[in-house]
Amino acid sequence: MADSRTDQMSWQVLRLRARYRVWRRRANRRAAEPLTSRLDAVARRLDLEDRELPHTRAALYVLRPAASFPWFLVVVALATFVAAVRLSPVLEGLVLSAADRAAYRHLDVVEHFLRSYGQAFHHFTAEGNKPGPLGIYDFLVSLTLVALTFLPAMLLGSTGVGRSTSFRYMLNLKVLTALDACADAAEVPAVARQRKLRKLDRACRNVEDAVFGAHRRAGTIPRRSPRRALARQHAAKVVAILREQSALLDTDPQRGFRDLSRTLATIGERYAAGRVGALLDTDGSQAQPVSPIREAVIETVRLAVALVVATATAALTSALLPELPVRIPEQAQSWIVFGLSATTALLVSGWRVFSKIVDLIPGRK
């Protein structure tokens, strides 16, 4: 009798799994239709019809940036936010303990910073506190909670449980976006091409970032494999060729659009085919490889400058708001500080660096 019940349960599980596969296949088909239609339209506009791009089409078929919202990562982010708020007294105790150690070692500046930081945690978690202007330490506490909230979701989204086809084939989606921008810029007259060229340049930079990370996103090269070094060297040469062909847009636009579009299509097709170490034929190219470490250092410095400027703006604004002759409601002061900090960071770093912070939010494509 028990065996028959076990068999029935196993049969029901298999039946549910079969239904899920059918539903997933239908959902994939509905989500893939707009992407494959975009690919066909771009191929016609850029005269790429001689290339069928079967692997790119297959990658777009399984890519589901709009159909599969990462609810799991959103739940993880909300759970970690609640846990971070609940554990704020523990964090306060750790910070004050570190302040005591700094006092024992006669590190007065470090002790003052850590005690003020710990008091900000206490002010954040204490009951009955009225909202006031956002100080520099309150701002740091907010940044700490935001980091604790999104870090687990970011780790799960890039490795392990949260990894999906959207992560693996993001290069193909960025290539498609760059081809769209290339077609838009090629179809307008030269006198009206300025905004289109800026959009194309941003799209190509996004493709470069994806090429540098292709060996990680593909999932075909283990972390400690020596193949990763060869793939990184090849990615540096591919990015150099992309930049060399982008420069043709300023000297020979027609040839530049043609060569750049075909290069982008080749990169996407070979990546979708699993040829991470042969995205382009780089043997006959004279372009100097681009150093991914140098690019990463530059981006890190820009991001750090943006954060420092935002923090300084928050501190200065918090100090000046109470001195204004016009009385501003206390609840509005925090929003003013946040808005001015974000605006200053955007003006200093530019939208490309600022968007990297925005892209850390789970659910963004």
Side-chain angles (χ1 to χ4, degrees), residues 142-215:
S142 302
L143 286 180
T144 303
L145 294 177
V146 169
L148 292 176
T149 298
F150 291 121
L151 184 60
M154 289 165 52
L155 293 176
L156 288 175
S158 59
T159 58
V161 181
R163 178 172 289 185
S164 62
T165 54
S166 300
F167 178 84
R168 187 179 306 118
Y169 294 114
M170 187 57 64
L171 173 61
N172 295 98
L173 185 61
K174 291 184 176 181
V175 165
L176 180 59
T177 303
L179 288 174
D180 265 333
C182 188
D184 293 338
E187 291 176 348
V188 298
V191 294
R193 195 176 284 168
Q194 292 82 2
R195 295 182 61 183
K196 302 293 184 181
L197 286 177
R198 288 196 294 269
K199 180 181 177 182
L200 174 59
D201 188 76
R202 289 193 297 268
C204 289
R205 294 297 299 272
N206 290 333
V207 173
E208 291 177 7
D209 294 339
V211 168
F212 277 135
H215 62 281

Side-chain angles (χ1 to χ4, degrees), residues 71-136:
W71 294 108
F72 173 72
L73 300 183
V74 173
V75 171
V76 170
L78 293 176
T80 50
F81 175 75
V82 174
V85 173
R86 293 293 184 182
L87 293 177
S88 295
V90 178
L91 297 176
E92 176 190 353
L94 293 175
V95 173
L96 293 179
S97 177
D100 294 337
R101 290 178 176 273
Y104 177 76
R105 296 178 180 274
H106 303 288
L107 301 175
D108 298 335
V109 177
V110 178
E111 178 194 2
H112 175 72
F113 173 78
L114 292 176
R115 291 198 184 280
S116 301
Y117 191 38
Q119 291 174 2
F121 267 109
H122 179 75
H123 181 271
F124 184 84
T125 57
E127 298 181 357
N129 285 331
K130 296 181 180 180
L134 185 65
I136 179 62

Side-chain angles (χ1 to χ4, degrees), residues 256-272:
F257 287 128
R258 183 182 67 253
D259 294 348
L260 183 60
S261 62
R262 293 183 177 275
T263 300
L264 290 170
T266 302
I267 291 174
E269 180 68 11
R270 293 191 179 183
Y271 175 80

